[in-house]
Amino acid sequence: MKKIIILSVIFTSLFIAEAFAQTSIKAEVDKTIVTTDDIITYKLIITSSEKNIPEPQPPKFTGFKIISSAQSSTVSFIKGNVKTIVVYAFVLIPTDKGTFKIEPSSIKIKNETFSTGTLEIEVKQGKVKPKAEPEQKPPQPEETQPETEEQPQITL
């Protein structure tokens, strides 16, 4: 009988903890080893029992350039509880080869700060080398053609 009571208390506490879970933030990338030819998708996923979620502090993408970004959100009401999921997606291209760390992202909700972990991406040289900026040539004076005497043309 004691086992049943103990198990009931454990399961009830787990259920209550899940039902009242406040906020979580998670970062993920689709690839951790890429070449300079590849693109990477970085997602920041925020789940909260708050209806309105403030903007997070995104990381600095050292070694990468953001070429696109998007945001989606879902708010659901289940048995009187609110569950909000917001996903920020960033499409990145490497700017150099090497190993780069994407530092944590954070969000502050109700005076509590939540952070992600650090992600490490290894970038290897791809097949296509990055194009160097073309050198700027100083303007050249235009060449002039020797003046020739023009003959009038008559059309019959």
Side-chain angles (χ1 to χ4, degrees):
M1 185 66 165
K2 286 183 181 181
K3 288 182 181 179
I4 293 175
I5 294 173
I6 292 172
L7 289 174
S8 297
V9 169
I10 291 172
F11 284 121
T12 303
S13 356
L14 289 174
F15 176 74
I16 290 172
E18 180 65 29
F20 292 104
Q22 294 295 316
T23 300
S24 69
I25 184 171
K26 176 180 153 185
E28 61 185 38
V29 289
D30 60 342
K31 303 173 215 166
T32 56
I33 300 175
V34 296
T35 68
T36 53
D37 301 331
D38 292 332
I39 61 171
I40 300 167
T41 302
Y42 171 92
K43 288 184 185 175
L44 184 60
I45 305 159
I46 303 164
T47 305
S48 181
S49 57
E50 295 295 315
K51 188 175 174 182
N52 295 315
I53 297 177
E55 292 281 325
Q57 179 65 43
K60 293 180 181 174
F61 294 107
T62 305
F64 299 93
K65 179 181 176 185
I66 299 172
I67 58 172
S68 179
S69 63
Q71 174 188 348
S72 68
S73 60
T74 305
V75 179
S76 54
F77 299 93
I78 302 170
K79 297 181 183 178
N81 295 321
V82 175
K83 182 177 182 181
T84 305
I85 301 171
V86 180
V87 178
Y88 295 88
F90 298 90
V91 178
L92 312 170
I93 57 171
T95 57
D96 203 359
K97 58 185 179 178
T99 301
F100 300 97
K101 288 185 179 182
I102 298 177
E103 297 299 325
S105 180
S106 62
I107 188 167
K108 189 173 184 178
I109 297 178
K110 289 190 173 181
N111 295 322
E112 190 173 353
T113 301
F114 301 89
S115 297
T116 65
T118 300
L119 298 172
E120 193 170 283
I121 312 291
E122 183 181 350
V123 180
K124 298 178 181 182
Q125 182 62 52
K127 292 179 183 177
V128 179
K129 294 193 179 199
K131 292 181 181 178
E133 293 291 321
E135 290 183 26
Q136 295 287 335
K137 293 183 180 180
Q140 299 289 326
E142 290 185 26
E143 292 184 24
T144 57
Q145 298 289 332
E147 290 186 29
T148 58
E149 204 174 291
E150 288 187 31
Q151 300 288 328
Q153 292 185 350
I154 301 174
T155 310
L156 297 176

